[in-house]
Amino acid sequence: MAMDYKYIEQLLESYWLCETSLEEEQILRTFFSQENVPVSLLPYKDLFTYEQVDVAENRLGEDFDCKMLEMVGEKAPVKAITISITQRLKPLFKAAAIVAIILTLGNAMQVAMQPNAPENIAETQFTATDDGVSVAVVDTMRQDSMKITETPLIK
């Protein structure tokens, strides 16, 4: 047993000179975490076991930041929320849909309110006519246009 303590004392010497490796420091922590530590080495026990005791007893809670901010009189910071591109454009899509509905209803009302509009729009027939001026550079083309006639499709 005295041999083990001699090795521990050598490791302590190296530790004070900052020459120990992480593995050797772990050996020291393991040795001092035992219950049977020699009296000559007891003063060093707290140095190597404080992490185990401190973490178990004085662990910070999840609400630590909020408590500290309350103590100094500041409000807790608002956490940022990530917004996707579809969430960001959703109000624009809604507005575009409303505009489309209003324009569609407006056109339907405009056709229905015309004085010479047929009673049933579904019964109107479109016929091609060949009148109008061409807008082409060369005046050899004629533009065809569609005109509404009020003849029913079904006779």
Side-chain angles (χ1 to χ4, degrees):
M1 283 276 191
M3 189 86 160
D4 289 336
Y5 301 145
K6 192 75 165 163
Y7 177 65
I8 296 299
E9 288 174 358
Q10 289 174 352
L11 283 179
L12 279 172
E13 290 287 328
S14 297
Y15 183 79
W16 301 129
L17 296 173
C18 301
E19 297 174 351
T20 54
S21 66
L22 293 176
E23 291 82 15
E24 292 171 333
E25 290 177 16
Q26 184 60 40
I27 292 170
L28 287 171
R29 281 189 210 96
T30 305
F31 174 79
F32 283 108
S33 64
Q34 301 173 11
E35 289 192 27
N36 297 329
V37 177
V39 177
S40 63
L41 298 176
L42 268 178
Y44 308 116
K45 182 174 181 171
D46 290 339
L47 177 67
F48 292 100
T49 60
Y50 78 95
E51 291 177 353
Q52 298 164 354
V53 174
D54 192 45
V55 169
E57 292 177 1
N58 298 325
R59 185 164 184 227
L60 296 177
E62 297 295 326
D63 59 343
F64 175 76
D65 291 337
C66 292
K67 287 180 181 178
M68 288 293 122
L69 288 172
E70 284 178 15
M71 290 173 79
V72 296
E74 290 186 23
K75 294 182 179 178
V78 178
K79 298 202 178 204
I81 299 172
T82 56
I83 299 175
S84 67
I85 191 74
T86 55
Q87 289 175 330
R88 188 173 288 234
L89 294 178
K90 194 175 280 189
L92 183 65
F93 294 150
K94 287 180 181 180
I98 290 172
V99 168
I101 290 171
I102 290 173
L103 289 176
T104 303
L105 291 175
N107 286 341
M109 291 299 293
Q110 192 175 25
V111 169
M113 296 295 179
Q114 288 180 352
N116 58 355
E119 293 292 323
N120 190 354
I121 296 176
E123 293 178 0
T124 60
Q125 176 179 346
F126 294 95
T127 59
T129 60
D130 189 22
D131 57 344
V133 179
S134 173
V135 292
V137 175
V138 180
D139 202 19
T140 58
M141 291 183 64
R142 303 279 300 175
Q143 180 181 359
D144 291 338
S145 63
M146 303 293 287
K147 286 194 174 180
I148 298 175
T149 60
E150 295 183 17
T151 58
L153 294 174
I154 303 173
K155 293 185 180 180

